[in-house]
Amino acid sequence: MVCNKKKLKKKIYAVSSAVGLIFGSLVGFGAEGETAGDVREKADAVFEDVSESDWFYPYVSYLSENGIVKGMTETQFVPGGTFTVAESAAIITRYLDLEKEAAKRKDAMEVLGVAGSDKWYAGYVQLMYEANIIDAEQYGCAVLGRHISIDDPSKLESPVKRYEFASFITRSFELDGTQIRTSATEDGLGHGFIYGSSYDESALNGFIPFIKDYYSIPQSYRYYVLKAYYNGIFCGDDFGSFNPEKNLTRAEMAKVATVITDKSQRIRIDTSSASPVGRSGLPDDSYVVKDGEKYLKNSVSDAILSAELAGIVTENENGKPTVSYVRNSPAPEGYCFEICHYSRQKDGFDKKLSDETNPDSYSGVFSSGDRIVLLLCDAQTGEAVDAYALKLVGVGNTVIDSCRYTP
């Protein structure tokens, strides 16, 4: 779903001098710095890799004209380049107008001499941790009382996934100022960004049919993605997919930076009048129709799963029998793969050791008698369409379960 290239409303922004960051602070939220008028000489900057036919053109153009965004070089914006977790923390800090608070955190970390306090993003991440927006331990940090230490910077400096960023921003929208400020008068920092200023929780599930790959989103993040759709921050691509595992690009960040602060630019799906996205990607003769419903032919699902079985191998790794899976090809549009690892218990029941939805790869130690179940699922409903099961007898010895084992 692509926005109309209408002229974006003018706002006044400030330019940040922080090294390595792309977007500046927002004057409209009390930040200090140069105004758009002070940086007018930057308004005519031209990026050779951004054209009027690009969906992101109005966002990049608007931010560039107002001195908020700059390219990787004088002439290259690199719209397909990735954005990191650390940069995401900085952006969130700025639209919440907490730049000074982040600076205080960084100073405190330096005084304490904790690991990573010299990183430009240390104060931002510390602040996001205190606000319960980012799980610091998940991103290579240790928690030391109220403070964190950045023990593994590579995780914060890695590209942020689209589903991760959706969780960051929706958590920030519900931030209560008393969590990170001592003044009782500075509250409600994030609620102003919520559509209608509050959530209608009963309406969230109404967006599920409009996200074709909803069940490819990690389960613990689905709630936040629904909230991002509710707020019109994300609305899916032209095929109705959210693409959760893809890295957030600089072009997408340009859109997000604009629509968060200017609600008139959000594209919100009207679930009461719009029609859910349809399935595409497979020829019409791949389906049979029964009682007015389309079902994927067994011969087609068999072919898809058989091709994926080639990606499952067993080998000895560090002296232990290991089964691994590497995705052979993307699932057809509207579907996703799921791989489950089961161990057969003495009482005859299976114990699930792992359950991965739409993985690029999987690896795990197995015992003789374990089963690997590869499923083809409907990405919209999460229901299994077909499945193959492999019994793992030993390294180099696997047997296809002829009963079409499905958990």
Side-chain angles (χ1 to χ4, degrees):
M1 299 178 185
V2 183
C3 73
N4 294 325
K5 298 185 179 70
K6 60 184 178 179
K7 186 176 180 65
L8 301 181
K9 287 184 177 179
K10 295 293 181 181
K11 284 180 180 271
I12 299 177
Y13 291 86
V15 176
S16 169
S17 59
V19 176
L21 297 181
I22 295 177
F23 299 98
S25 303
L26 306 180
V27 168
F29 295 91
E32 297 179 351
E34 300 172 294
T35 65
D38 297 325
V39 295
R40 190 60 191 172
E41 68 273 10
K42 299 180 182 179
D44 294 329
V46 177
F47 299 122
E48 296 175 349
D49 52 358
V50 177
S51 65
E52 291 190 23
S53 61
D54 294 322
W55 68 264
F56 48 82
Y57 174 81
Y59 305 115
V60 176
S61 177
Y62 173 56
L63 296 175
S64 176
E65 287 176 4
N66 286 280
I68 308 163
V69 65
K70 55 187 177 182
M72 298 297 286
T73 70
E74 289 295 323
T75 59
Q76 298 290 316
F77 177 69
V78 191
T82 56
F83 218 75
T84 68
V85 175
E87 287 171 326
S88 300
I91 292 300
I92 293 170
T93 299
R94 287 178 173 151
Y95 68 65
L96 290 174
D97 185 24
L98 294 173
E99 189 82 28
K100 291 182 179 179
E101 298 297 323
K104 292 178 184 178
R105 267 61 173 187
K106 190 176 191 307
D107 289 343
M109 294 173 73
E110 290 176 343
V111 170
L112 292 173
V114 299
S117 60
D118 59 323
K119 297 292 185 181
W120 65 262
Y121 51 78
Y124 299 118
V125 177
Q126 170 69 35
L127 191 69
M128 293 299 98
Y129 161 69
E130 291 181 31
N132 199 32
I133 294 172
I134 289 180
D135 182 350
E137 292 179 316
Q138 179 182 342
Y139 294 101
C141 301
V143 177
L144 309 169
R146 282 196 60 194
H147 291 276
I148 62 171
S149 64
I150 302 173
D151 298 341
D152 184 2
S154 66
K155 294 185 178 181
L156 289 168
E157 295 169 9
S158 296
V160 64
K161 300 289 187 184
R162 288 167 55 83
Y163 70 82
E164 291 177 299
F165 192 70
S167 75
F168 295 161
I169 60 175
T170 51
R171 287 175 182 174
S172 76
F173 287 178
E174 299 176 68
L175 179 62
D176 179 350
T178 58
Q179 293 174 269
I180 49 179
R181 281 174 165 164
T182 56
S183 173
T185 61
E186 296 177 301
D187 57 0
L189 288 174
H191 289 77
F193 297 108
I194 299 176
Y195 178 85
S197 299
S198 63
Y199 287 107
D200 177 2
E201 293 282 340
S202 66
L204 291 180
N205 286 344
F207 290 91
I208 294 177
F210 297 86
I211 308 175
K212 184 179 290 187
D213 51 359
Y214 176 76
Y215 288 93
S216 294
I217 303 168
Q219 188 170 5
S220 60
Y221 288 86
R222 292 172 187 170
Y223 178 64
Y224 302 110
V225 171
L226 289 177
K227 284 189 169 183
Y229 271 71
Y230 181 96
N231 285 299
I233 305 300
F234 291 100
C235 58
D237 62 17
D238 289 337
F239 302 102
S241 297
F242 174 64
N243 304 306
E245 295 290 345
K246 286 188 176 180
N247 298 329
L248 190 76
T249 66
R250 287 164 52 84
E252 292 168 336
M253 181 58 78
K255 175 187 175 182
V256 172
T258 301
V259 303
I260 283 177
T261 57
D262 187 351
K263 292 181 181 178
S264 70
Q265 304 309 318
R266 299 185 184 184
I267 303 174
R268 190 171 184 269
I269 299 171
D270 183 356
T271 59
S272 64
S273 61
S275 299
V277 292
R279 175 179 291 121
S280 62
L282 288 174
D284 289 340
D285 61 5
S286 300
Y287 301 91
V288 293
V289 178
K290 183 177 181 181
D291 298 328
E293 295 290 332
K294 291 174 66 175
Y295 298 93
L296 192 62
K297 292 180 179 178
N298 287 339
S299 59
V300 175
S301 60
D302 283 348
I304 294 171
L305 288 171
S306 294
E308 283 303 301
L309 289 180
I312 299 177
V313 298
T314 56
E315 58 187 347
N316 282 307
E317 186 174 319
N318 298 323
K320 297 180 179 180
T322 303
V323 59
S324 62
Y325 163 71
V326 176
R327 187 188 298 177
N328 185 51
S329 60
E333 191 72 40
Y335 298 91
C336 64
F337 291 118
E338 184 172 348
I339 188 164
C340 302
H341 185 173
Y342 292 88
S343 176
R344 181 56 59 90
Q345 305 298 292
K346 292 181 179 179
D347 56 10
F349 292 95
D350 283 344
K351 177 182 179 182
K352 185 180 288 187
L353 302 180
S354 178
D355 185 355
E356 303 285 338
T357 300
N358 225 29
D360 289 321
S361 63
Y362 168 75
S363 180
V365 176
F366 73 89
S367 301
S368 180
D370 282 7
R371 283 176 169 78
I372 287 288
V373 182
L374 180 66
L375 302 98
L376 179 66
C377 301
D378 186 307
Q380 187 167 307
T381 65
E383 296 180 355
V385 175
D386 202 349
Y388 270 6
L390 293 177
K391 183 176 181 181
L392 307 177
V393 180
V395 173
N397 188 356
T398 61
V399 179
I400 296 179
D401 192 334
S402 60
C403 70
R404 306 297 297 277
Y405 179 94
T406 301

